Structures are given as C-alpha cells and as structure tokens.
Amino acid sequence: MNVLDGKWPRWGADAGLVALTLLPPLLSQPYVDISAPAWSSLLGYEAVAALVLVVRRRWPVTAFVTGFAALLAALVGSAGADAKLTPLVFVSLAVLFHSLGSHCASWPRTVLALLGGALLAALGLWVNWLTADAREFRGGLDVLAALAPMPLVWAMGFGARSRRALLAAAEQRAAEARRAQLLEAAQATQRERARIAREMHDVVAHSLTLLVVYAETLRARGGELPEWARTQVDGLAAAGRQSGGELRDLLRMLRDPAEAAPLQPVPGIGDLDALLDSHRAAGGTVDVRMTTEAPAGAVTGVALESLPGPVQTAVYRVVQEALANARRHAPGAPVRIAVDADAGRLRCEVENGRGVRRGTAGAGIGLGLVSMRERVAALGGELTAGPTDDGGFRVAATLPVTAASLPGAATTPPVAATAPLEDTGV
C-alpha cells in the first residue's frame, strides 16, 4: 500500500477500518453461538455494515440510520430464533456514532438522526419482547449498557470535527496574514519607488534640464564661440537630450512598473556610432573593430543587427560605461573596442591605455562595474574587469548567443572578414 504525503490513502484507511471493525465479531461469534440463525444474522448485518462504513464520510446520517436499523434487525431476528450475537457487533455502531459527530456539520440533521436512533432502539426492544420466547433472549439492561457509551463516542467525533475546523481557520488566518504581509511589502516598495522617482525628478531631472537649456543658449550664440567650443556645446546638448529621455523612461518605470515600455527606442549596437562620436567630441581617441565570423562547418554567420534586443542593449551599456570610466579616470588615453560574434557567443572588449592627464578625483560612485556585471549576468553571460600591464584598464563581457534563436539568422549571408565600424580618429 502506498503512503501519500505521510498519510494513508483514503481507500486504504477505509479497508483497514472495515477489517478491524468486522473481523472481531466473526472471530468472537464461535465462542458465543454457532447456530445457523446466529451466523445468518451476523453475516447479513456485516454485509450492510461494510457498505455503510465505506460511505460514512459522504452520507454520515444515512449511514448511521441504516447501520443502526440493520443492527437492531439482526439482534431482534436472531433473538426471535433463539440465537445470540456477540457483543462485538456494537463496534461498528460506535464507528457510525463517531462518524456522525465528525462529519455531520448540520445540527438539525444530527439531532434528528439521534432521535431516530433512540426511536429505533425503543422499537427494537418492543419487537424483541414480542418475538423472543425465552427470557434470556429478550433485550434489557445489557442492550442499554452497550448503547450507554455511544454518546461519548459521538462527542469524540464532534471534538475531532471542531479541531479540524480550528486548524482550517488557523490556516486561513495564516494565509490571509501572509497575503496582507505581501501586499504591505508591495505597497511599501511602491511607495519607496515613488519617493525615489520624486527625488530623482527634483534633483537630477531639473539639473539635467537646466544643463540642456544652458547648452542650447550657447548654441544660439554659436557665432561668438570658437570652433572647438561649438563642437563641445553640440555634443553637450545631444548628450543632455538623450540622457533626459532615458531618465524620463526610468522615472516612469519607477512610478509604475506596468508602464515599463520605453517611450524612445532602446539603444543597441546600431547606436554605437553616435556614442563613439560623442566620445571623440569630448577629446577621446577610439579604435573600433567589429567582427562576425561563421564557425567551422556552418553555412551562415551571425549578423550583429540580428542579435536579440537585450544583448544589443547590454553591449551598448558596457561600451557606454567603459568609455565614461576612461574619460573620468584616464583622460586622453586611447581606447580600443572589439566586438566579436559567432553562432554561439558574443564577446565585447573595451580597453584603454594609461591616461595622459590625471583623472578626476572622486569621480563616480563605484556602481558602474556592479551594474555592468548584473546586466551581463542577467543574460547568462560573464563580465571581467581589471587593470592591464601597461597601466590601463580592460572590460570584457561574454554573452551567450544561440544562432537558431536569432531572427534572420537563416537568411544572413556568411561574413568572414573583419570590417571596421569606423576608422581610428581623434
């Protein structure tokens, strides 16, 4: 017999209960009376008892009344034939009393069942006195003695039902408390997100808007500025507008995660040109190499434009953060960027040399590398970062790319040559 979740299956429990209830009378009857009427009454009753014991949970009142009536009929019938049944036949009646208290939740039905049982007992005693010839087969105090403990058995079943109800109520309260706790935590998180969004809007967004306004004012008076200053102002205004758009999307997501869709396109590999131009406009030097190769035995390679959006965004953010760190910590240092992709993975490496000037003291808050690692790890990749032997710094991100899942991978022509994105410039 299988045991499920530490409990016996219901059919196994019923089979065991029927066996433990009906076998003792069969084993005890030979020591009481072996006459044919006694055995006929006992076997007939036990056939009915086996049926009502199986259905006692679903129909406790019907099972109780039917079983009690069958027991009285067996007792009266055997007594009328001058036969006697073993007292153990009352064991099944005790089980039915317990089931009535344990499974019947309706008080009116319970009271009616008990009153009906009392009436059946009185009727059975009356018929027994009319049909039994010998005094020894007429029921009396012995029957009352067997029935006297039955209310206690019913009370035990009622106690079991009350305990189950208390446990179910406690579990319900615990579940409601957990739901309330989760709801409170979600509301607290949303309040904190809204507070952060307000602070960012009041502090960062206003300052960024002011910087863009100043840059646009300078652009309006570009004729009064030298050529190098006009280029810097143009780059400052473009960077401010882009950062303002991304900040608005971030604030919308903080206020309401359901509105996480950005209003402007998410940057990808195709936007690296503008990012590199802004780095060069700030006085940086960058050398870019982007390669797509078909692996050995493959018919097609992997086009960078066909990479999944999250992968392209991760590459863009890694390059963006690495360039920003190079400008802060190694001003004037040459930067080399290499992006290599094949059918299985994409590797993006950004390396800068030693700065020609001292970096900005206290620049950054130390979360750039942490954010890059988390972004790459979320896609199943790996990011390494550390100083180089010549005093520079290298950031390398490796992202898994499955060729079969790439849109347009099957129709992309093979590319085996290394094609620079742009020539090295200052």
Side-chain angles (χ1 to χ4, degrees):
M1 184 180 298
N2 295 328
V3 179
L4 303 177
D5 299 330
K7 297 182 179 180
W8 290 101
R10 177 164 293 184
W11 65 267
D14 286 340
L17 179 64
V18 170
L20 292 175
T21 303
L22 302 184
L23 282 179
L26 295 176
L27 298 176
S28 175
Q29 185 62 38
Y31 300 96
V32 177
D33 190 349
I34 59 174
S35 64
W39 278 108
S40 299
S41 299
L42 178 62
L43 293 177
Y45 166 68
E46 292 214 335
V48 177
L51 177 62
V52 296
L53 287 175
V54 172
V55 300
R56 73 190 185 283
R57 292 191 184 94
R58 186 170 184 180
W59 299 301
V61 174
T62 303
F64 168 76
V65 174
T66 304
F68 200 1
L71 175 60
L72 292 175
L75 291 172
V76 172
S78 61
D82 294 336
K84 188 176 183 179
L85 297 183
T86 173
L88 292 182
V89 293
F90 286 93
V91 174
S92 58
L93 181 62
V95 175
L96 294 176
F97 263 100
H98 186 277
S99 298
L100 181 64
S102 178
H103 299 290
C104 183
S106 174
W107 277 105
R109 290 172 60 84
T110 299
V111 172
L112 289 177
L114 293 177
L115 290 177
L119 292 176
L120 286 175
L123 179 61
L125 287 173
W126 179 66
V127 174
N128 176 242
W129 275 82
L130 293 178
T131 56
D133 295 331
R135 181 177 296 273
E136 59 179 313
F137 295 108
R138 294 176 182 175
L141 294 178
D142 57 338
V143 177
L144 295 178
L147 294 177
M150 297 304 169
L152 178 61
V153 178
W154 173 87
M156 294 174 60
F158 177 77
R161 180 166 63 86
S162 300
R163 180 176 178 273
R164 288 198 305 269
L166 290 175
L167 290 177
E171 291 177 356
Q172 180 66 22
R173 288 194 299 270
E176 292 177 354
R178 285 194 296 269
R179 287 194 294 268
Q181 184 178 8
L182 293 175
L183 179 60
E184 183 179 356
Q187 292 175 346
T189 301
Q190 185 56 36
R191 288 194 297 269
E192 183 63 16
R193 292 168 68 100
R195 186 190 67 80
I196 294 174
R198 288 194 301 270
E199 294 295 332
M200 291 181 64
H201 179 270
D202 294 341
V203 177
V204 181
H206 286 172
S207 300
L208 187 60
T209 302
L210 189 60
L211 289 177
V212 174
V213 171
Y214 287 159
E216 294 294 345
T217 302
L218 289 176
R219 289 183 64 187
R221 303 179 61 180
E224 304 175 15
L225 300 176
E227 181 63 26
W228 64 268
R230 288 197 295 271
T231 304
Q232 297 288 344
V233 168
D234 291 340
L236 178 62
R241 287 191 296 270
Q242 179 182 358
S243 299
E246 295 179 355
L247 183 60
R248 284 192 298 272
D249 290 337
L250 178 60
L251 294 180
R252 288 175 58 251
M253 184 180 65
L254 283 174
R255 289 193 180 97
D256 188 1
E259 297 184 2
L263 296 178
Q264 60 182 15
V266 179
I269 292 179
D271 300 298
L272 286 178
D273 286 335
L275 181 63
L276 300 178
D277 289 341
S278 64
H279 181 75
R280 294 188 181 100
T285 303
V286 60
D287 179 19
V288 183
R289 178 177 60 85
M290 305 188 74
T291 306
T292 58
E293 297 179 349
V299 178
T300 61
V302 176
L304 294 178
E305 296 80 5
S306 67
L307 293 174
V311 174
Q312 295 196 43
T313 302
V315 172
Y316 181 89
R317 294 305 185 190
V318 168
V319 175
Q320 183 184 42
E321 182 64 26
L323 291 177
N325 289 339
R327 289 194 299 270
R328 283 195 294 261
H329 304 292
V335 180
R336 294 179 295 277
I337 301 176
V339 180
D340 301 312
D342 57 28
R345 57 126 183 112
L346 180 142
R347 179 176 176 84
C348 174
E349 183 174 315
V350 183
E351 180 180 348
N352 63 267
R354 184 188 298 272
V356 299
R357 300 184 301 276
R358 182 183 297 274
T360 304
I365 58 176
L367 296 179
L369 290 177
V370 175
S371 299
M372 282 194 290
R373 283 196 177 93
E374 292 177 349
R375 183 184 294 273
V376 172
L379 298 176
E382 182 181 2
L383 184 136
T384 59
T388 59
D389 295 336
D390 59 355
F393 199 83
R394 178 189 295 111
V395 176
T398 303
L399 295 167
V401 177
T402 303
S405 65
L406 299 179
T411 59
T412 304
V415 180
T418 300
L421 179 65
E422 280 192 273
D423 295 334
T424 303
V426 177

